[in-house]
Amino acid sequence: MVEPTRLSAGASKHASDDLDCETLAQFAGDGACREVLLALCRREQNAEETTVWDIHRLTGLPLHEAFAALRTLEYGKIVDILDNPSDPFGATIRLREGGITLLRNRNVA
């Protein structure tokens, strides 16, 4: 198991900094995508790095379901998965800068 790491104090501002995670997660609807988005948003607000392996532990979802939700959010351009060729489960996940705007616009339509 990998210890959670904090992002450096000088790290760039994240997409989740100025919003309520509960509100953001509601844009993803119900189910696994909502749970994954909520967990990721909270981790980013706490300046904690999140990996693919962390998602199922944080949400309580089975690994395959958490990963499917994560890939759905990636396909929808809500999150980025920054590959780690030596450790696929160690790939870092981040909210995309424009992902929150995309979610809000989809909810309005």
Side-chain angles (χ1 to χ4, degrees):
M1 179 179 350
V2 177
E3 283 294 313
T5 58
R6 286 213 171 290
L7 300 175
S8 66
S12 64
K13 187 174 172 118
H14 291 286
S16 63
D17 288 348
D18 296 324
L19 57 89
D20 173 36
C21 290
E22 290 288 336
T23 302
L24 174 63
Q26 288 176 359
F27 290 119
D30 293 330
C33 286
R34 181 185 188 288
E35 295 300 316
V36 168
L37 192 57
L38 181 60
L40 183 58
C41 178
R42 287 179 177 161
R43 296 269 295 192
E44 281 200 15
Q45 282 187 333
N46 291 328
E48 294 176 314
E49 191 173 78
T50 306
T51 65
V52 171
W53 184 252
D54 294 328
I55 290 297
H56 88 281
R57 291 183 19 250
L58 294 168
T59 61
L61 295 168
L63 181 59
H64 70 279
E65 191 174 337
F67 186 71
L70 184 59
R71 293 294 295 197
T72 298
L73 291 170
E74 180 189 35
Y75 182 75
K77 301 190 186 299
I78 309 304
V79 302
D80 281 327
I81 301 174
L82 308 174
D83 291 331
N84 180 346
S86 65
D87 180 11
F89 289 108
T92 304
I93 306 159
R94 296 213 174 104
L95 286 174
R96 292 182 66 148
E97 290 296 325
I100 294 167
T101 304
L102 286 172
L103 275 175
R104 287 182 178 149
N105 290 342
R106 287 180 193 159
N107 197 39
V108 170

